[in-house]
Amino acid sequence: MRQMTFDEVRQPDERGEAPNEGGSGELSTAGREPERPGNADLMEKVLTRSNLTAALKRVEANRGNPGVDGMTTSELRPWLNENWPRIRTELETETYEPAPVRWSQIKKDGGGMRELGIPTVLDRLVQQALLQVLQPILDPSFSDHSYGFRPNRSAHQAVKAAQRYVQEGRQIVVDVDLERFFDQVNQDILMERLSRRIDDKRILRLIRRYLQAGIFKHGVMMEREEGTPQGGPLSPLLANVLLDEVDKELEKRGHAFVRYADDSNVYVRSQKAGERVMRHLRKLYAKLRLKINESKSAVGPVWSRKFLGFSFWRAQDKRIRIRVAKKALDKLKGQVRMKTKRTRGRSMSTVIADLASYINGWKAYFGLAETPGVFEELNGWIRRRLRALQLKHWKRGRTAYRALRRLGASDELAHLIALGTRRWWWNAQQGIQRTLTNSYFAKLGLPSL
């Protein structure tokens, strides 16, 4: 008899009944009582067909690099069709063993490297299925001041909340950065806090196995006794479980604060109050065996600190406005310089396509800033970089003269620019902008900030 595939196997739904074969495969909470701590049947909900199908779709959509086994997201579904009955049995009987995570590094915006632990695609599927069941239970209990990695919440909302606190007169910020947070999480404390909210011991034991799974680094298997590696779907939720304890203590004291993942800002009205809050936070984090990064944390005026890539300024109308932090602007300029480097030998269309992809992504996030003058200045600087690049492409005066004439430049202007074709940056701000106009670059696909 042919074995049923992952897509075909009938699994009990949330009511213990077989799901409708014609269903969409998406999770639904319509007509059901809200989830609450005390449920001891969470594993059954994790293994429902609708939950697993939704988890698989999410893992496939997110793609990502393979883990230690080398399996890609495109290979996962065919592999499950052959192996899912065994994996399901292992999960039900608590014999499933997560694979070690693959160690990797990425550059941090503020300098240095961020360590990641990349699970296998199978473990990402299981973690995603766990997340989809646990998040509706845990998230409603989290503080309203927490914005990171939560449904219907965003970094923009966090920045706007901070803006409101500053507008109210709280212009001293207690800016806290935790030292290697995801690597330093105490697993025993995390699991104890999690057990206060979840009754299903099978779920807790599976999460513990994920925390204790080794890490494959430089060809060597290393055991892990602390931390929750960044890279898995569950890590942000577990971080919120642990840090929610600090949030609740701040709420009890009536503080105005915003937290996004492990970045936390408390807004107060005086330096003295800020120093007092910082001392209290050190004690709260120490209770969780977490350490504040003293070199990156400080108490000071909001104007001198950044939050999620933004900072604040006071406009002439006394309103507090949002602007892009200097480090984020410097990073943008660095990327533009690299992409418009005049020694890379790429065509103008290729350069602009590359720029457009980066600028559109940057604009989608930093467009929250209320600084149209800064954006217009950046637009002009980017176009000047492109004009200088175009002059470099033409190289010789005769080539530049002919190209400019074809573009509609006057004979006088074409001669003037052609005589100084090697003065690329200087010429890029002269009369050439009357030929290589803003609309010219817009037609080539260059977006505006």
Side-chain angles (χ1 to χ4, degrees):
M1 181 181 295
R2 184 177 68 86
Q3 188 179 54
M4 287 188 292
T5 69
F6 176 83
D7 292 327
E8 296 170 334
V9 65
R10 294 174 61 86
Q11 302 171 56
D13 71 1
E14 290 81 354
R15 298 178 300 277
E17 303 168 354
N20 186 334
E21 291 295 342
S24 66
E26 298 299 328
L27 294 174
S28 173
T29 58
R32 292 165 50 197
E33 293 182 2
E35 302 285 7
R36 62 186 185 276
N39 284 341
D41 60 347
L42 297 183
M43 183 61 81
E44 283 74 23
K45 295 180 180 181
V46 168
L47 295 176
T48 58
R49 178 181 183 181
S50 59
N51 187 54
L52 289 165
T53 301
L56 178 59
K57 289 178 179 178
R58 177 61 63 89
V59 170
E60 290 173 329
N62 288 345
R63 298 185 181 180
N65 294 324
V68 293
D69 61 357
M71 187 187 302
T72 65
T73 52
S74 62
E75 297 169 329
L76 177 58
R77 189 180 291 262
W79 187 90
L80 288 171
N81 284 337
E82 296 293 328
N83 296 277
W84 176 246
R86 172 178 59 83
I87 300 301
R88 180 186 174 87
T89 299
E90 290 177 1
L91 289 167
E92 291 175 328
T93 59
E94 298 189 63
T95 57
Y96 179 81
E97 291 292 337
V101 297
R102 182 171 65 83
W103 181 82
S104 182
Q105 283 185 316
I106 59 172
K107 289 184 178 180
K108 296 170 65 174
D109 288 346
M113 304 297 290
R114 186 186 306 279
E115 294 190 1
L116 298 178
I118 303 176
T120 63
V121 289
L122 173 60
D123 282 326
R124 296 210 288 270
L125 169 69
V126 177
Q127 285 195 38
Q128 182 65 35
L130 284 167
L131 176 67
Q132 291 168 179
V133 169
L134 295 180
Q135 194 159 51
I137 298 172
L138 300 176
D139 191 85
S141 67
F142 293 154
S143 167
D144 285 340
H145 297 265
S146 168
Y147 291 86
F149 306 106
R150 298 183 60 188
N152 303 314
R153 287 175 170 254
S154 68
H156 284 181
Q157 291 174 335
V159 174
K160 288 180 179 179
Q163 181 187 28
R164 289 194 297 272
Y165 294 141
V166 178
Q167 186 67 60
E168 291 168 357
R170 298 177 175 89
Q171 296 177 1
I172 299 295
V173 61
V174 184
D175 186 357
V176 175
D177 182 272
L178 294 178
E179 187 173 304
R180 299 180 62 211
F181 168 72
F182 284 93
D183 298 326
Q184 301 297 326
V185 167
N186 184 285
Q187 295 180 0
D188 291 333
I189 293 176
L190 170 59
M191 291 307 302
E192 194 278 329
R193 300 306 191 267
L194 197 59
S195 68
R196 296 178 185 179
R197 302 165 182 253
I198 296 174
D199 281 353
D200 193 327
K201 304 301 182 185
R202 297 167 297 174
I203 294 291
L204 294 172
R205 286 190 284 266
L206 179 57
I207 292 175
R208 170 72 84 167
R209 287 197 291 274
Y210 270 116
L211 293 175
Q212 294 178 336
I215 184 166
F216 199 72
K217 183 177 180 180
H218 301 312
V220 177
M221 183 66 64
M222 303 172 63
E223 294 184 357
R224 189 173 67 237
E225 297 180 353
E226 62 180 8
T228 170
Q230 277 184 277
L234 265 181
S235 291
L237 179 65
L238 297 180
N240 279 332
V241 168
L242 190 63
L243 294 176
D244 186 61
E245 183 167 318
V246 177
D247 295 344
K248 294 299 171 51
E249 286 296 322
L250 291 173
E251 283 182 347
K252 286 179 183 178
R253 291 173 175 257
H255 287 300
F257 70 97
V258 180
R259 181 174 67 80
Y260 191 92
D262 56 330
D263 290 330
S264 183
N265 280 6
V266 185
Y267 296 90
V268 296
R269 298 181 186 274
S270 70
Q271 184 73 20
K272 185 176 180 179
E275 298 291 351
R276 185 169 59 249
V277 171
M278 181 65 88
R279 288 193 297 270
H280 183 56
L281 284 171
R282 288 193 182 96
K283 293 177 182 178
L284 290 175
Y285 287 123
K287 184 179 177 182
L288 298 175
R289 307 281 180 86
L290 297 171
K291 294 174 64 177
I292 290 177
N293 187 332
E294 300 294 347
S295 65
K296 294 184 178 180
S297 303
V299 178
V302 293
W303 329 113
S304 62
R305 307 299 295 178
K306 63 182 179 66
F307 181 53
L308 302 178
F310 295 94
S311 59
F312 300 106
W313 62 289
R314 185 189 287 110
Q316 290 183 349
D317 61 2
K318 306 300 182 182
R319 301 296 297 173
I320 303 302
R321 306 292 186 186
I322 300 169
R323 64 182 176 187
V324 182
K326 183 178 183 303
K327 281 189 177 180
L329 287 175
D330 289 344
K331 182 181 178 182
L332 166 69
K333 288 188 173 182
Q335 288 291 317
V336 172
R337 286 190 184 99
M338 181 187 70
K339 295 177 184 299
T340 58
K341 197 171 182 179
R342 294 188 287 275
T343 58
R344 297 187 69 183
R346 302 192 303 167
S347 69
M348 182 61 70
S349 59
T350 301
V351 170
I352 288 180
D354 191 15
L355 266 180
S357 176
Y358 178 77
I359 289 174
N360 282 328
W362 193 92
K363 181 180 178 180
Y365 183 74
F366 288 105
L368 179 69
E370 302 162 289
T371 52
V374 172
F375 289 153
E376 188 52 44
E377 184 179 336
L378 284 171
N379 282 333
W381 177 76
I382 292 170
R383 288 191 293 262
R384 186 178 179 186
R385 294 279 310 177
L386 291 172
R387 291 182 182 112
L389 176 63
Q390 183 62 79
L391 287 171
K392 174 65 166 57
H393 283 175
W394 286 333
K395 293 182 181 179
R396 295 166 55 187
R398 182 176 297 178
T399 304
Y401 173 81
R402 291 173 177 172
L404 287 165
R405 289 291 284 159
R406 283 197 300 269
L407 289 170
S410 67
D411 181 73
E412 180 182 2
L413 177 61
H415 270 298
L416 177 65
I417 294 174
L419 289 172
T421 50
R422 293 192 179 277
R423 301 171 67 185
W424 303 305
W425 187 242
W426 183 86
N427 262 330
Q429 201 175 23
Q430 305 308 310
I432 193 173
Q433 66 261 40
R434 297 202 300 269
T435 303
L436 300 182
T437 61
N438 298 354
S439 60
Y440 170 80
F441 287 114
K443 289 178 181 177
L444 290 178
L446 180 69
S448 172
L449 292 172

